[in-house]
Structures are given as C-alpha cells and as structure tokens.
Amino acid sequence: MQSQGVSVSAPPQIRVDTSCDVKYKEGSMTDRLTKRELQVLNQAKMGATNQEIADSLKIGVSTVKIHTANIRRKLGKASNMAGAVYHAMKYDIIN
C-alpha cells in the first residue's frame, strides 16, 4: 500500500508450525524451534540447570549447551537463557 510516495507494509502474520507446535512471526528474528529445543526451553523456564535438563532428557550436558545456544540465537541472540525465556514468552512461543 502506498500513500503520497510513502510505502507502508502490512504487519507480519502469525503462523503456527504444527510440526513442533511453535508460533512465530513471519519475517521476524524468531526462527522455528525444534521439539527438543522447546523441551529445553520449557525446563529452563522452570529454573532447571543444564545438568538437570540433561538428566531429564537423557542427553549430555554439552548437548543441552548446544540446544541453549541455538535457542538464544533463534530468539534474537539473547545473551543468556533468562533472556531467551523472556523472548519466548513475549512472542507467545511458550506460556
């Protein structure tokens, strides 16, 4: 839509990725999170440590760290998991 030489774009649409039940804003910095990343994110939201997450999901701590790095990158380069959890809740990716 254009008005007097000014271009105005439509707001991004909300889509639901049913393969991993993640909401994301099309065209935003929020990429799709994998099912495992969502599991890690939800446990981090509850205050679990990397070791507790690893034990719960039966994976190594180093794997948890890889998942948390991916989550932070996908959710706007959050500097820590608290920031990633904040962004995930802000964008309604997790409750």
Side-chain angles (χ1 to χ4, degrees):
M1 176 168 47
Q2 289 192 354
S3 173
Q4 299 179 0
V6 176
S7 177
V8 178
S9 61
Q13 298 296 313
I14 301 290
R15 297 188 317 171
V16 176
D17 179 352
T18 56
S19 66
C20 56
D21 296 328
V22 177
K23 292 180 187 176
Y24 67 98
K25 292 186 178 183
E26 191 173 349
S28 72
M29 292 171 50
T30 307
D31 295 329
R32 296 178 213 193
L33 297 176
T34 66
K35 185 176 181 177
R36 183 62 91 183
E37 289 167 347
L38 282 173
Q39 292 170 333
V40 169
L41 185 59
N42 276 305
Q43 290 196 28
K45 179 185 87 169
M46 302 307 288
T49 65
N50 286 348
Q51 185 64 59
E52 291 168 335
I53 295 169
D55 292 344
S56 171
L57 299 177
K58 299 184 182 0
I59 58 178
V61 174
S62 60
T63 304
V64 172
K65 289 179 181 180
I66 291 168
H67 287 309
T68 59
N70 289 337
I71 291 165
R72 291 190 341 261
R73 177 182 51 81
K74 290 178 180 182
L75 296 178
K77 301 186 190 294
S79 61
N80 56 39
M81 279 305 288
V85 168
Y86 169 80
H87 286 294
M89 293 176 76
K90 178 180 176 181
Y91 290 112
D92 206 21
I93 294 169
I94 60 173
N95 298 322

